[in-house]
Amino acid sequence: MLFYLFRYLEEYGIPGSHLWSYISFRGLMTLVLSLIISAWFGEYFIKWMKRHNASEAQRDASIDPYGVEKKGVPTMGGIIIIVSTIIPCLLLGRLRNIYMLLMLGTIIILGALGFVDDYIKLKKTKDGMRPIFKLAGQAFVGLCVGLTLWLSPDAVIQENKTTVKENHEIVVHNEEKVKSTDTTIPFVKNNNLSYSGMMSFMGEYKTAAGWILFVLVTTFIVMAVSNGANLNDGMDGMCAGNSAIIMFALGLLAYVSSHTSMAQYLNIMYIPGTEELVIFCLAFVGALIGFLWYNSYPAQIFMGDTGSLAIGGVVGVMAVILHKELLIPILCFVFFMESISVMLQTKVAKMGNKKGLKWRVFKRAPIHDTFRVKPGQLGSDVKVFLNWPKGCWLESKITTRFWIVTIIMCALAIATLKVR
């Protein structure tokens, strides 16, 4: 709203009003505002939750050796993150931008889905919502995003083309804006993956088939990353810290994709309108960092599914909009490993059960839990194939080391823009 106000004032020559047309200025103001809202609102929200006894049950000591310290900690802290993201975006973002609307819709719907799950855990059953309903909600968001990107005339790109000037090859962008199912292939130059190209066997229907495949892939990505973030939310500050790093990296990718000169220099597709994703990313990063003020060890509040489902969905949708979905295994390496560890652990445990044995790939899953298992805690009848580490790490050390891994992987993901 402020963007439109100051653009109107600029027509009358009001000094300083032109600053609001710069993404860098609006982005920094968004970051600061979201931090302030998160820190201020968080304190009052925690007190309100405590007054209403809306706290998570004491965690199982056999899984979390530090669970005794976390008795009576309020949950649903994702509300802090969502509110602190939405308000700055409404004030400083361009609300007619299709990508901004998609991101706001994603965080609101998945946040509401997580809120219902958390509410059921508090009031009815600790198991929460049935998994099928959560998956259905995530699939609904993925379908809506995919269909919008397919059908909206504003979701377009300007493709690259190479031309020779003064005996040198240079990259320029076609002036024509086109709908495209192309996505960037990491480490490969001048060659994108086209969903329509993959469906070339459909003949004259390959374009429509390509878009249908794109919608299905988008749905899968939203579900996969949302659940990965949900699994990563098991330690104080873990998911919030990792997500802030990932969103900052996505913000950089959004900035270079929306900047004509940078997109030409890096030889990546130019996506008009994605500059507003920078605003959303910085608002989200500010909200997450402000939330860490209360969520870092020892946590004063947990984000719950209200936060984790929304975080994963936002990351997945952002990557799809930027045509960088193939970078997700690198950017979201920690989320990816959490999901893989659970699937491997479950599969091997079932195989062992059929033979009357207790087989485990890791000491515990998701993978972050394996680092806090005390020696002898599992019992002598459990066979663990990857019995590492031998001791039990402090929760704060596990969290910090996971952050470091995420920083390394995000740096690698950004480096792929040049390492091709």
Side-chain angles (χ1 to χ4, degrees):
M1 290 183 284
L2 291 178
F3 169 79
Y4 297 105
L5 172 63
F6 281 98
R7 190 172 67 173
Y8 175 76
L9 294 177
E10 188 178 359
E11 297 178 2
Y12 295 92
I14 304 299
S17 56
H18 68 285
L19 283 173
W20 296 87
S21 62
Y22 294 106
I23 287 294
S24 54
F25 178 77
R26 283 197 290 136
L28 289 173
M29 291 299 100
T30 301
L31 178 67
V32 172
L33 181 58
S34 61
L35 265 168
I36 292 173
I37 293 173
S38 185
W40 172 80
F41 175 60
E43 181 179 356
Y44 288 95
F45 183 77
I46 291 170
K47 291 178 180 178
W48 188 90
M49 292 291 281
K50 285 184 174 180
R51 284 199 305 269
H52 291 79
N53 296 317
S55 58
E56 187 172 293
Q58 182 175 325
R59 296 185 178 182
D60 187 351
S62 65
I63 298 175
D64 186 356
Y66 309 104
V68 177
E69 304 171 14
K70 302 173 184 178
K71 184 178 181 180
V73 175
T75 186
M76 295 187 185
I79 293 175
I80 299 172
I81 299 170
I82 294 169
V83 170
S84 303
T85 301
I86 291 175
I87 293 176
C89 287
L90 292 178
L91 289 175
L92 302 173
R94 293 176 59 189
L95 303 181
R96 296 175 184 173
N97 181 279
I98 185 63
Y99 302 129
M100 175 64 79
L101 294 175
L102 278 176
M103 298 313 301
L104 291 175
T106 298
I107 194 173
I108 290 171
I109 295 173
L110 288 179
L113 182 69
F115 173 82
V116 172
D117 188 35
D118 287 334
Y119 183 82
I120 293 173
K121 288 177 182 177
L122 286 175
K123 301 297 183 181
K124 296 182 180 180
T125 170
K126 66 178 181 179
D127 294 327
M129 186 188 300
R130 291 178 61 186
I132 187 65
F133 293 129
K134 283 201 284 188
L135 291 173
Q138 294 163 340
F140 171 75
V141 172
L143 284 171
C144 289
V145 171
L147 290 171
T148 301
L149 293 175
W150 177 7
L151 302 174
S152 173
D154 297 325
V156 293
I157 70 166
Q158 289 179 233
E159 295 177 322
N160 301 341
K161 66 177 181 180
T162 304
T163 185
V164 178
K165 185 177 182 180
E166 297 179 357
N167 297 324
H168 292 286
E169 286 189 351
I170 60 172
V171 176
V172 297
H173 293 106
N174 288 326
E175 293 184 4
E176 183 184 2
K177 297 178 182 180
V178 297
K179 304 287 293 183
S180 176
T181 59
D182 287 1
T183 187
T184 303
I185 303 176
F187 305 109
V188 178
K189 187 177 183 179
N190 295 327
N191 193 11
N192 294 326
L193 174 68
S194 171
Y195 294 113
S196 295
M198 293 173 64
M199 304 301 288
S200 57
F201 63 88
M202 297 291 290
E204 61 180 310
Y205 302 106
K206 69 175 184 179
T207 301
W211 277 109
I212 291 172
L213 177 61
F214 169 80
V215 172
L216 294 176
V217 170
T218 300
T219 303
F220 172 76
I221 288 171
V222 171
M223 295 171 69
V225 182
S226 184
N227 283 307
N230 188 230
L231 291 171
N232 187 235
D233 180 32
M235 292 187 182
D236 297 349
M238 173 72 80
C239 186
N242 285 320
S243 302
I245 298 164
I246 293 168
M247 286 301 293
F248 184 77
L250 283 169
L252 288 177
L253 293 174
Y255 184 74
V256 298
S257 297
S258 68
H259 195 289
T260 309
S261 299
M262 289 187 180
Q264 289 177 353
Y265 172 71
L266 294 170
N267 192 9
I268 60 175
M269 60 184 76
Y270 169 56
I271 312 173
T274 51
E275 64 274 3
E276 291 306 308
L277 293 181
V278 178
I279 304 300
F280 184 89
C281 280
L282 290 177
F284 206 62
V285 169
L288 287 166
I289 294 174
F291 179 71
L292 274 174
W293 184 269
Y294 303 104
N295 185 238
S296 57
Y297 183 83
Q300 296 171 257
I301 190 168
F302 301 134
M303 69 166 61
D305 284 5
T306 307
S308 60
L309 292 182
I311 285 172
V314 161
V315 170
V317 172
M318 183 81 68
V320 169
I321 290 174
L322 295 173
H323 297 258
K324 301 292 187 293
E325 55 264 41
L326 295 183
L327 282 176
I328 286 178
I330 303 175
L331 279 167
C332 305
F333 178 77
V334 168
F335 295 170
F336 181 70
M337 289 307 299
E338 298 277 30
S339 299
I340 293 296
S341 68
V342 170
M343 289 187 285
L344 281 175
Q345 190 85 327
T346 303
K347 183 68 174 178
V348 171
K350 287 181 178 179
M351 291 171 59
N353 290 341
K354 291 179 180 179
K355 298 183 179 183
L357 302 170
K358 294 183 178 180
W359 286 354
R360 302 289 185 272
V361 180
F362 312 100
K363 289 188 287 185
R364 287 202 186 281
I367 191 68
H368 64 259
D369 275 335
T370 200
F371 296 99
R372 60 181 177 186
V373 177
K374 294 181 178 179
Q377 189 175 349
L378 292 179
S380 58
D381 59 336
V382 179
K383 179 176 176 55
V384 180
F385 296 104
L386 297 176
N387 193 15
W388 183 85
K390 297 297 182 182
C392 175
W393 294 0
L394 291 174
E395 184 168 323
S396 55
K397 183 179 289 292
I398 300 169
T399 298
T400 303
R401 288 180 175 177
F402 270 61
W403 290 353
I404 292 170
V405 170
T406 300
I407 290 172
I408 293 171
M409 299 309 293
C410 285
L412 177 61
I414 295 171
T416 62
L417 296 179
K418 289 296 292 180
V419 183
R420 293 191 288 170

